[in-house]
């Protein structure tokens, strides 16, 4: 006697899965934006600090 072939996976997407994906996306986007903002602010302030240091060293 042979075992029954495996049943195909259910490929339907439930509304709960869609809602979960949307929540994850909306949660990750602010985190990525906060990282981008802090990284850019760090680079920008580093340039301003270097400029201020150069001005003070010339005096």
């Amino acid at each position: 006697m042979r075992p029954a072939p495996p049943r195909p996976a259910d490929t339907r997407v439930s509304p709960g899965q869609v809602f979960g994906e949307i929540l994850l996306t909306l949660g990750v986007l602010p985190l990525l934006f906060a990282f981008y903002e802090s990284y850019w602010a760090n680079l920008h302030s580093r340039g301003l600090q270097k400029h201020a240091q150069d001005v003070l060293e010339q005096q």
Side-chain angles (χ1 to χ4, degrees):
M1 181 185 258
R2 300 175 79 182
R7 294 176 53 190
D10 188 15
T11 56
R12 291 181 292 177
V13 178
S14 72
Q17 289 173 318
V18 172
F19 185 66
E21 289 289 331
I22 290 171
L23 286 179
L24 282 173
T25 301
L26 292 177
V28 168
L29 286 178
L31 290 175
L32 289 173
F33 180 71
F35 174 76
Y36 165 76
E37 282 292 314
S38 63
Y39 181 75
W40 179 253
N42 187 24
L43 290 178
H44 185 65
S45 64
R46 184 187 325 166
L48 291 175
Q49 187 65 33
K50 176 76 171 124
H51 177 69
Q53 181 181 359
D54 292 342
V55 169
L56 287 174
E57 286 177 354
Q58 287 177 359
Q59 290 180 351

